[in-house]
């Protein structure tokens, strides 16, 4: 008597997300990136110990509520960054990388694709990310942006080099294909929160140093 394996059941929400990703890849990625960047910004603000914004006592209730949970103007700005910068850039770079290796499935192709992702795609993404977050977090001059990028670039690149290959290996070996995208998004959310937290701490240290210097002068 032969038996037929039951088809794998997929969560309806996950199935709907994957269907939208297939039908409208850029739009779905933009919305996903925007939402994740919003929560990433709020979480990083808490983790970095950024003081809550002071609001007037007679301000509306919602302003006090937003200040208490540290949702400031930077959160929607990071949402716009995710939707208008990060997602389109990632979509284009990954698309170019895939076209370079289309139809190639051997070990050399896999290694080559990993090298391109780590040595070309990741450095570009990190430089753009750190530059944008520097501006969003208060950098107002090119020199401020350059200093912020320089302070966090190699650390961010090292973390990416450690996590990206491991993430791909875990996804391919232990997860069903329909779970790869959510898993990679989760890893990117965690590493992005870490980067953003570090940048906020660096920015606060730079501001404190500048304030101290101004007071001494």
């Amino acid at each position: 008597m032969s038996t037929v394996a039951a088809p794998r059941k997929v969560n309806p929400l996950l199935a709907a997300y994957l269907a939208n990703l297939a039908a409208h890849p850029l739009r779905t990625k933009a919305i996903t990136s925007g939402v994740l960047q919003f929560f990433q910004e709020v979480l990083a603000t808490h983790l970095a110990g950024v003081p809550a914004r002071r609001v007037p006592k007679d301000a509306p209730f919602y302003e006090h509520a937003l200040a208490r949970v540290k949702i400031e103007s930077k959160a929607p700005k990071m949402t716009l960054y995710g939707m208008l910068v990060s997602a389109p850039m990632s979509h284009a770079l990954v698309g170019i990388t895939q076209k370079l290796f289309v139809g190639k499935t051997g070990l050399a192709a896999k290694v080559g694709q990993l090298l391109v992702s780590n040595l070309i795609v990741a450095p570009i993404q990190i430089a753009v990310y750190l530059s944008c977050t520097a501006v969003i977090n208060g950098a107002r001059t090119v020199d401020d942006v350059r200093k912020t990028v320089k302070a966090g670039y190699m650390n961010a690149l090292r973390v990416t080099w450690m996590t990206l290959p491991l993430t791909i290996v875990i996804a391919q070996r232990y997860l069903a294909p329909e779970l790869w995208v959510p898993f990679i998004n989760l890893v990117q959310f965690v590493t992005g929160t870490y980067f953003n937290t570090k940048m906020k701490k660096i920015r606060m240290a730079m501001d404190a140093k500048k304030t101290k210097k101004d007071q001494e002068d």
Side-chain angles (χ1 to χ4, degrees):
M1 180 178 178
S2 62
T3 59
V4 177
R8 185 189 300 272
K9 292 185 178 180
V10 180
N11 182 281
L13 293 177
L14 176 60
Y17 175 78
L18 295 176
N20 275 279
L21 186 63
H24 310 285
L26 181 55
R27 185 181 70 185
T28 305
K29 290 176 183 178
I31 294 173
T32 301
S33 181
V35 171
L36 292 180
Q37 288 292 343
F38 177 87
F39 288 106
Q40 186 177 294
E41 169 65 21
V42 176
L43 182 57
T45 300
H46 284 271
L47 294 175
V50 178
R53 178 174 58 90
R54 291 185 177 183
V55 296
K57 292 183 179 180
D58 58 348
F61 170 78
Y62 72 88
E63 286 194 25
H64 288 279
L66 292 176
R68 179 166 296 182
V69 295
K70 298 184 180 181
I71 297 180
E72 302 179 2
S73 61
K74 295 176 184 177
K77 289 177 182 178
M78 287 301 297
T79 300
L80 292 176
Y81 159 78
M83 296 181 67
L84 303 180
V85 179
S86 179
M89 176 181 63
S90 177
H91 182 75
L93 291 175
V94 172
I96 293 172
T97 302
Q98 290 175 340
K99 287 180 180 179
L100 291 175
F101 297 93
V102 65
K104 301 176 183 178
T105 58
L107 178 60
K110 292 182 178 180
V111 173
Q113 190 167 357
L114 190 60
L115 288 175
V116 170
S117 297
N118 278 277
L119 300 179
I120 299 177
V121 175
I124 294 173
Q125 291 176 318
I126 290 171
V128 173
Y129 172 80
L130 294 179
S131 298
C132 291
T133 53
V135 174
I136 291 173
N137 282 305
R140 290 294 175 266
T141 65
V142 174
D143 188 55
D144 284 343
V145 173
R146 183 185 60 80
K147 288 179 180 178
T148 304
V149 173
K150 183 178 179 180
Y153 188 79
M154 288 310 301
N155 181 50
L157 194 58
R158 281 195 296 269
V159 172
T160 300
W161 283 345
M162 289 187 294
T163 58
L164 182 58
L166 184 61
T167 300
I168 294 174
V169 170
I170 292 175
Q172 292 179 343
R173 288 179 63 90
Y174 301 108
L175 298 178
E178 63 267 17
L179 297 178
W180 290 2
V181 172
F183 176 68
I184 292 173
N185 284 338
L186 175 62
V187 173
Q188 290 177 338
F189 176 79
V190 173
T191 55
T193 301
Y194 170 77
F195 296 153
N196 201 348
T197 302
K198 292 284 289 185
M199 288 302 98
K200 288 184 183 299
K201 290 182 177 179
I202 290 172
R203 188 66 206 171
M204 286 192 296
M206 291 172 60
D207 290 342
K209 184 177 180 181
K210 185 176 181 181
T211 301
K212 183 178 180 181
K213 183 178 179 181
D214 291 341
Q215 291 174 347
E216 291 177 349
D217 294 341

